[in-house]
Amino acid sequence: MRNLAGVLPDVEIAAITPVIAEIEALKKERRAVVLAHNYMTPDIFHGVADLRGDSLALARMAAETDAEVIVMAGVHFMAETAKILSPEKTVLIPDLRAGCSLAESITGADVRLLRQRYPGVPVVTYVNTSADVKAESDICCTSGNAVAVVESLGADRVIFLPDQYLGRWVASQTDVDVILWHGSCMVHERFTAEELRSYRKDHPGIRVIAHPECPPDVLAEADFVGSTAGMISWVEKNRPPRVVMVTECSMSDNVAAEVRDVEFVRPCNLCPHMKRITLAGIADSLRHMRHEVKVPAAIAERARRAVTRMLEVRP
Ligand code: 13P
Ligand code: SF4
């Protein structure tokens, strides 16, 4: 077991020690790894994750690991992306209800209609989508590489799906014209510019860093905008005395446990989908080898092209 001292209260560590020990034993027995997104709770993030990161890092790790089983401590599209990249591996998600408001905002049929409406315009699709939508796309992106991916195409115009706010952020960083869809993240769209101004007023000198899924007026108030991994690197590098991470709230808990000289002001917008994943759920998943994520071969093959093309773009 990792050292959770100082990350969680002693009484909580004592309570979860048996389940962590069981997960570790099952990982060995099943030749499994736990991949954890930065939004997982600290008991998962610091207690049982073998590999941790943002969506881009998790996709790369899924493609590279030699484990036989991947347990995705994240949401469904992340597990699907892992399966698309590693079809020979068993990919498990502890709770099938761990979805994403962005992934729900668009279907493969919507993409086909957009292609009819804008013939010849390439389709760039955020990984927060179903395999079906990825299969209809030219290339995928994450919040960590979206600008580089859009510019890699050498086109004057792209269709950017499905996050309208990430799309607008990309448009503000490039000369390429961006055609938007109307999707949004139910967690990040709740932040307001007024709220960010109040952090600055209440905590003079605070640095405000935000995820690009936030609305444009929120991003305009931020000192830095980046993916979850980009935000973590920014804090590790700049070591501001005080910071607010304008994103899902478990991330501050995870980073605060490792960057102890920085004070974190913690607004709490939880992602209900990410929070479906629990330590007990991970144990159950490994015990019973459930829930296996499968992607039909024909869809997986087309989706793999779009994801692999993304992985070849280096920001
Ligand atoms: P990142 O790729 O920045 O980790 O974002 C994933 C996500 O779901 C953000 O809400
Ligand atoms: Fe989807 Fe938003 Fe939750 Fe990320 S935080 S999984 S984008 S709903």
Side-chain angles (χ1 to χ4, degrees):
M1 188 176 99
R2 321 266 153 66
N3 186 5
L4 288 170
V7 175
L8 297 171
D10 290 348
V11 58
E12 200 176 321
I13 297 174
I16 63 175
T17 296
V19 69
I20 290 184
E22 186 187 358
I23 290 171
E24 292 303 332
L26 285 166
K27 282 200 291 197
K28 280 204 192 82
E29 190 186 318
R30 310 277 197 212
R31 295 184 44 78
V33 283
V34 175
L35 264 57
H37 186 261
N38 293 325
Y39 292 163
M40 288 297 104
T41 46
D43 53 346
I44 297 172
F45 191 82
H46 292 286
V48 296
D50 297 292
L51 301 163
R52 319 180 297 193
D54 64 359
S55 311
L56 182 58
L58 295 180
R60 287 195 196 286
M61 290 164 189
E64 286 162 14
T65 179
D66 54 12
E68 286 172 16
V69 176
I70 295 173
V71 180
M72 183 56 73
V75 290
H76 194 263
F77 75 80
M78 295 174 177
E80 256 189 358
T81 305
K83 184 66 184 176
I84 288 164
L85 288 169
S86 297
E88 73 296 349
K89 291 179 188 138
T90 302
V91 177
L92 305 176
I93 186 151
D95 192 318
L96 281 169
R97 295 168 301 175
C100 171
S101 65
L102 281 165
E104 279 157 26
S105 73
I106 190 160
T107 64
D110 292 325
V111 187
R112 289 192 289 277
L113 283 173
L114 282 164
R115 283 204 187 270
Q116 278 172 22
R117 189 157 164 208
Y118 300 103
V121 179
V123 176
V124 179
T125 294
Y126 196 25
V127 286
N128 298 38
T129 44
S130 65
D132 194 30
V133 169
K134 289 182 176 77
E136 299 294 337
S137 307
D138 292 290
I139 188 166
C140 286
C141 74
T142 72
S143 58
N145 63 12
V147 176
V149 165
V150 164
E151 294 191 337
S152 75
L153 299 173
D156 298 337
R157 223 166 42 138
V158 301
I159 298 169
F160 189 95
L161 308 172
D163 186 348
Q164 58 181 307
Y165 298 132
L166 177 61
R168 280 191 218 180
W169 166 250
V170 170
S172 75
Q173 305 295 305
T174 176
D175 292 333
V176 179
D177 276 347
V178 179
I179 299 163
L180 299 169
W181 186 249
H182 49 68
S184 56
C185 162
M186 62 192 288
V187 177
H188 291 91
E189 72 179 353
R190 297 209 321 259
F191 291 104
T192 64
E194 180 53 38
E195 195 180 340
L196 268 61
R197 285 193 287 273
S198 76
Y199 300 137
R200 290 200 195 276
K201 198 162 135 256
D202 298 344
H203 308 280
I206 196 168
R207 306 305 299 275
V208 177
I209 64 175
H211 195 277
E213 290 173 6
C214 295
D217 57 335
V218 172
L219 298 181
E221 297 286 336
D223 297 310
F224 172 77
V225 175
S227 75
T228 57
M231 294 167 87
I232 295 171
S233 308
W234 189 93
V235 171
E236 286 172 347
K237 193 166 148 229
N238 292 283
R239 301 272 163 166
R242 255 184 195 170
V243 72
V244 56
M245 289 179 146
V246 183
T247 190
E248 212 270 352
C249 65
S250 290
M251 205 168 88
S252 295
D253 299 339
N254 291 332
V255 188
E258 280 172 348
V259 185
R260 304 211 180 217
D261 54 334
V262 175
E263 184 195 337
F264 289 79
V265 172
R266 306 180 200 199
C268 204
N269 282 2
L270 279 172
C271 173
H273 301 293
M274 290 279 182
K275 268 39 235 190
R276 295 269 185 203
I277 309 301
T278 61
L279 212 49
I282 292 172
D284 246 14
S285 180
L286 279 163
R287 252 182 237 133
H288 306 293
M289 295 296 281
R290 71 179 185 209
H291 303 273
E292 191 173 348
V293 175
K294 294 192 175 166
V295 181
I299 291 176
E301 194 186 317
R302 292 168 62 222
R304 192 173 310 119
R305 265 183 251 149
V307 179
T308 308
R309 193 172 172 194
M310 165 187 87
L311 295 177
E312 284 160 4
V313 174
R314 294 280 164 182

